[in-house]
């Protein structure tokens, strides 16, 4: 697969085949991802690759606690609720996904099911929990570096025929994740990445999300006319 095919073809995958993913393939993908640049080459990232029973326990604990109204306890700052163009984009992709899944706007039950799927990491066979070294807490470089390696990870996975969705939903209940993934005390949980073989029959997997244009995002300076 060429670089452009990976970048333009990759989509977030939210429906997976149950087939396992070989450990050697995950190691290969991680090795590619870890070529990502980082601030001063500090490489603050670490990965907990979870499958089988421990992952099922994370899914169950996350879902049960969220359903019981336990406040979320993610370990990163979320800032204010989205507004304006950011809110519009959030709603835009949700509309695309719900349309693909045939979930009507007022269908509370189906919408609830969809949220619960997210809390279960979309039933992916593997979850990679991205953490960083706690000693680097407080530097904005650290989450930036985690983003770089995670983007490289999802693209590397795609190049091998695997699908991913980076997610915050699967790590809503930090104590559950910490317990069942055995996260070390010197690590902070940044994000999780659901990983597996895409189920081509799952309609939301075909959704191509929109992007603002280069012109909207970019200010060229000193280029002349
Ligand atoms: C930091 C981050 C957190 C995300 N959290 C979730 C999530 O909790 N649930 C979900 O379904 N998608 C989540 N996503 C996926 C985004 O919705 C998705 O990347 C975006 O809509 C663009 O779509 P694409 O990945 O298909 O290009 C997350 C992505 C990122 C980068």
């Amino acid at each position: 697969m060429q670089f452009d095919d990976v970048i333009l073809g990759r989509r977030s995958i939210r429906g997976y085949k149950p087939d396992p993913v070989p450990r050697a393939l995950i190691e290969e993908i991680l090795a590619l991802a870890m070529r990502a640049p980082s601030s001063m080459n500090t490489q603050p990232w670490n990965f907990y690759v979870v499958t089988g029973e421990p992952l099922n326990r994370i899914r169950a604990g996350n879902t049960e606690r969220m359903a019981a109204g336990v406040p979320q306890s993610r370990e990163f700052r979320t800032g204010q609720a989205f507004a304006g163009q950011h809110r519009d984009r959030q709603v835009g992709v949700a509309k695309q996904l719900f349309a693909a899944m045939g979930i009507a706007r007022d269908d509370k039950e189906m919408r609830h099911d969809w949220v619960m799927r997210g809390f279960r990491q979309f039933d992916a066979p593997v979850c990679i929990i991205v953490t960083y070294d706690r000693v680097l807490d407080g530097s904005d470089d650290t989450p930036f570096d985690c983003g770089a390696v995670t983007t490289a990870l999802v693209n590397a996975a795609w190049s091998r025929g695997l699908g991913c969705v980076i997610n915050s939903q699967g790590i809503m209940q930090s104590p559950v994740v910490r317990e069942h993934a055995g996260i070390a005390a010197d690590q902070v949980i940044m994000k999780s990445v659901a990983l597996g073989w895409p189920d081509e029959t799952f309609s939301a997997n075909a959704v191509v999300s929109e992007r603002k244009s280069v012109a909207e995002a970019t200010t060229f300076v000193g280029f002349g006319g």
Side-chain angles (χ1 to χ4, degrees), residues 7-203:
I7 297 296
L8 296 173
R10 186 208 60 81
R11 308 175 296 280
S12 285
I13 294 300
R14 298 180 176 88
Y16 297 88
K17 293 177 183 162
D19 313 23
V21 184
R23 178 174 165 162
L25 184 53
I26 300 173
E27 284 171 347
E28 184 183 320
I29 287 164
L30 286 170
L32 284 171
M34 288 167 64
R35 294 307 305 169
S38 62
S39 172
M40 312 286 173
N41 203 24
T42 45
Q43 305 170 61
W45 50 67
N46 288 292
F47 310 96
Y48 291 77
V49 185
V50 190
T51 192
E53 264 316 297
L55 177 52
N56 287 336
R57 286 196 284 270
I58 291 173
R59 291 191 231 275
N62 202 35
T63 316
E64 283 159 16
R65 286 168 61 123
M66 291 307 291
V70 178
Q72 64 90 11
S73 50
R74 290 172 293 183
E75 298 183 5
F76 53 86
R77 291 176 299 157
T78 48
Q80 295 170 1
F82 296 135
Q85 59 185 355
H86 302 123
R87 175 73 182 151
D88 291 345
R89 291 186 195 124
Q90 179 189 22
V91 170
V93 75
K95 276 187 179 164
Q96 283 184 283
L97 290 167
F98 287 157
M101 294 300 294
I103 303 176
R105 192 186 164 83
D106 55 358
D107 191 336
K108 286 203 174 112
E109 199 177 326
M110 292 275 278
R111 289 172 79 112
H112 175 76
D113 276 1
W114 181 257
V115 172
M116 286 292 155
R117 284 180 61 83
F119 294 152
R120 298 195 311 267
Q121 299 255 358
F122 298 94
D123 300 324
V126 176
C127 156
I128 302 181
I129 298 159
V130 181
T131 69
Y132 65 83
D133 299 324
R134 190 179 295 281
V135 72
L136 295 176
D137 218 2
S139 163
D140 288 338
D141 280 334
T142 305
F144 187 93
D145 295 345
C146 287
V149 81
T150 306
T151 304
L153 169 59
V154 297
N155 284 322
W158 191 265
S159 78
R160 300 299 193 266
L162 283 160
C164 294
V165 59
I166 303 170
N167 68 87
S168 309
Q169 282 181 285
I171 50 170
M172 299 297 272
Q173 298 288 337
S174 165
V176 168
V177 182
R178 284 199 163 270
E179 181 188 347
H180 299 301
I183 311 277
D186 67 355
Q187 296 297 301
V188 179
I189 301 172
M190 184 75 244
K191 287 290 164 204
S192 63
V193 181
L195 171 86
W197 305 104
D199 174 357
E200 289 90 10
T201 66
F202 191 80
S203 345

